Amino acid sequence: MTIRHLKIFIAVADTGKMSAAAEKLYITQPSVSQAVRELEEHYQTLLFERLSKKLFITEAGKRLYSYARPVVAQFDLIEENMVQESRIQRLRIGGTITLGSSILSYMVRDLKNACPDLELYSYVNNTRIIEQKLLNTDLDVAVVEGQIKSPDLISIPMIRDILVLACSTDHPFARKSSVAVTELNDQCFVMREAGSGTRELFESFIRRHRLHIRTAFEETTPDAILNAVKINGCLAVISLRLLERDLRDKKVCVFTSSSHEWNRQFSFVYHKDKFLSPPILKFQEIVKSYDNIDYLHSLTGGVLLDG
């Protein structure tokens, strides 16, 4: 049994087809079939059932999959770290949606200027998916807004951020300088999708204050969220960084938490076994330079009274 066997087995389990696994790995289908058969002979157990020309992973296969995933990921880390200095340097950067819609592109630009020969790839999604991609070694580093759950990832807070309650200029709240937290009861909100760090923080706030809100929209992008606010009269809890243009154009009003419990930090994240190459260390330095909290405070408006 070799790492190659495990990689082929994982590809078959992920795709559900021998042919798809072969295409994914750029090998022939007979090679895939042989590797799976050799694994089954080695462990003396059936890993896939073949019913009506379809593959179904067995319970033994599921157990092997749970063991094989981290083993292959660790092997890939070893390979990557050992050849880091001799190959063309590449960096795969992850960012959560708030970052991707505000400052991530500027950070990547700064890194390109500092390391012009570096091959860069940037991927944006919510915190939960970014975390999984770091664990699967699909990304090298990331900057995220949410809480990292895995003990295998190092998370270093670096950039301060402020969430605010946003409403349109036509909303009844827009005529107020302050809003009591109890006034949020039964209000229609546009929410981020499950797995978002912004949503996780707001849902914790809802539970803490025993609020009952109505979710009218569930969106993944800042533009869609702002449309629900401006066109449909919803409330939203969103990063102040995403509202600069609309605040300048007087299209939204915002309220900051009086208890500062919506203050948060974006974190620089990488696997605990990751080799911190010079480009990674340079990117870490660049990320930290974007901690411009005084600028954010200049955008604030009304106050959400939490007490």
Side-chain angles (χ1 to χ4, degrees):
M1 188 271 293
T2 65
I3 288 291
R4 177 179 177 275
H5 284 90
L6 294 181
K7 286 187 173 183
I8 292 172
F9 166 74
I10 289 170
V12 174
D14 284 343
T15 63
K17 294 181 179 179
M18 298 278 190
S19 58
E23 184 177 346
K24 181 179 180 180
L25 298 173
Y26 301 102
I27 59 177
T28 65
Q29 186 170 335
S31 296
V32 172
S33 300
Q34 181 181 353
V36 171
R37 185 168 60 252
E38 288 173 353
L39 270 178
E40 290 178 329
E41 291 172 356
H42 179 79
Y43 291 115
Q44 298 184 351
T45 188
L46 194 66
L47 300 175
F48 296 98
E49 287 189 297
R50 298 152 181 85
L51 304 174
S52 301
K53 297 184 178 180
K54 292 184 178 179
L55 286 183
F56 298 89
I57 193 167
T58 64
E59 288 302 314
K62 290 177 182 177
R63 283 196 297 275
L64 178 59
Y65 184 88
S66 69
Y67 302 141
R69 261 290 186 190
V71 168
V72 169
Q74 189 66 28
F75 176 81
D76 287 343
L77 269 175
I78 292 171
E79 289 290 286
E80 180 182 356
N81 290 344
M82 291 304 294
V83 301
Q84 186 77 27
E85 298 301 326
S86 61
R87 70 178 186 178
I88 297 173
Q89 288 193 305
R90 300 177 181 90
L91 192 61
R92 300 163 299 169
I93 298 170
T96 43
I97 291 170
T98 297
L99 270 297
S101 302
S102 56
I103 57 177
L104 183 62
S105 289
Y106 297 102
M107 295 176 184
V108 172
R109 176 202 62 192
D110 293 349
L111 183 59
K112 281 182 179 177
N113 290 337
C115 306
D117 296 328
L118 185 66
E119 288 189 11
L120 285 171
Y121 166 78
S122 181
Y123 174 83
V124 173
N125 214 309
N126 65 40
T127 302
R128 181 190 299 171
I129 293 174
I130 293 292
E131 178 171 1
Q132 194 57 52
K133 284 188 171 291
L134 285 167
L135 290 170
N136 291 344
T137 69
D138 295 326
L139 294 172
D140 298 307
V141 293
V143 187
V144 306
E145 65 205 59
Q147 292 294 316
I148 292 296
K149 307 294 194 305
S150 173
D152 290 328
L153 297 180
I154 304 295
S155 180
I156 306 172
M158 283 198 175
I159 302 175
R160 290 168 289 178
D161 187 47
I162 300 172
L163 291 181
V164 292
L165 177 72
C167 68
S168 72
T169 52
D170 297 326
H171 194 281
F173 285 0
R175 296 189 291 271
K176 300 184 174 192
S177 60
S178 63
V179 172
V181 69
T182 52
E183 294 183 76
L184 301 185
N185 274 313
D186 295 318
Q187 294 285 341
C188 288
F189 275 79
V190 51
M191 300 284 284
R192 280 284 306 275
E193 81 288 354
S196 155
T198 299
R199 176 166 177 160
E200 184 178 33
L201 183 58
F202 182 46
E203 286 183 335
S204 176
F205 176 86
I206 291 171
R207 290 192 298 270
R208 201 157 45 245
H209 291 276
R210 298 178 183 177
L211 297 174
H212 177 268
I213 66 165
R214 289 182 287 167
T215 301
F217 288 82
E218 189 169 342
E219 302 285 0
T220 59
T221 66
D223 284 345
I225 290 170
L226 287 171
N227 281 341
V229 169
K230 293 183 287 188
I231 299 171
N232 296 99
C234 292
L235 297 174
V237 172
I238 188 170
S239 171
L240 190 55
R241 294 178 184 274
L242 300 173
L243 300 174
E244 180 180 359
R245 183 179 59 191
D246 288 286
L247 286 168
R248 185 180 63 243
D249 294 341
K250 300 188 183 335
K251 292 182 178 179
V252 296
C253 298
V254 298
F255 299 84
T256 54
S257 167
S258 62
S259 63
H260 307 295
E261 58 184 304
W262 285 352
N263 291 7
R264 63 180 182 177
Q265 288 186 294
F266 299 142
S267 296
F268 188 82
V269 186
Y270 55 90
H271 196 281
K272 63 182 177 64
D273 297 326
K274 188 71 182 172
F275 169 72
L276 297 184
S277 63
I280 290 178
L281 294 174
K282 184 61 182 179
F283 185 58
Q284 186 176 30
E285 178 185 321
I286 289 168
V287 170
K288 193 168 183 59
S289 73
Y290 278 79
D291 185 27
N292 51 351
I293 195 69
D294 292 337
Y295 161 73
L296 285 184
H297 282 306
S298 70
L299 301 175
T300 56
V303 177
L304 178 67
L305 300 173
D306 304 336

